[in-house]
Amino acid sequence: MRTGSEPATARSALRARFWLSMWGLVWAIFGTAAFALAGRPGWAAACGVLWLVVTVDMTMILRHIRQGPHYQPGRDVPPYRPPENGPPSPGPPRHRHP
């Protein structure tokens, strides 16, 4: 059921994000090693930076999983209650110029 407050109360599929990050971590490690062995230091460095980004992302994901049902609800945790005042007002429309 849509309440209009989804952007403020959205939840992330943290377990799915964890496994996708794990997949990315494996490939980043493999890419770093493969490019380093192939003598491509630029690509090895790029994979190393990606390895760092994925590791930081996984740290945040695991932190949120460990914080409990507020961040990772189970089937027994009901959805957030919508705000009593209704959805927040988006404000005046913005004009986009091409």
Side-chain angles (χ1 to χ4, degrees):
M1 179 172 95
R2 292 186 54 89
T3 62
S5 65
E6 284 81 9
T9 60
R11 299 182 194 178
S12 176
L14 292 175
R15 288 184 186 98
R17 280 183 58 197
F18 171 77
W19 288 111
L20 288 171
S21 291
M22 183 65 74
W23 181 252
L25 182 68
V26 168
W27 278 106
I29 293 170
F30 173 77
T32 303
F35 284 122
L37 292 174
R40 303 281 189 171
W43 284 104
C47 287
V49 169
L50 183 61
W51 183 356
L52 178 65
V53 169
V54 171
T55 302
V56 169
D57 185 46
M58 283 184 64
T59 303
M60 294 304 297
I61 291 168
L62 289 173
R63 179 176 171 257
H64 284 182
I65 287 173
R66 287 188 180 124
Q67 284 180 342
H70 176 73
Y71 286 103
Q72 185 62 26
R75 295 184 190 276
D76 57 336
V77 177
Y80 291 122
R81 292 179 48 104
E84 298 296 326
N85 302 352
S89 175
R94 290 189 269 168
H95 298 284
R96 295 185 178 178
H97 299 287

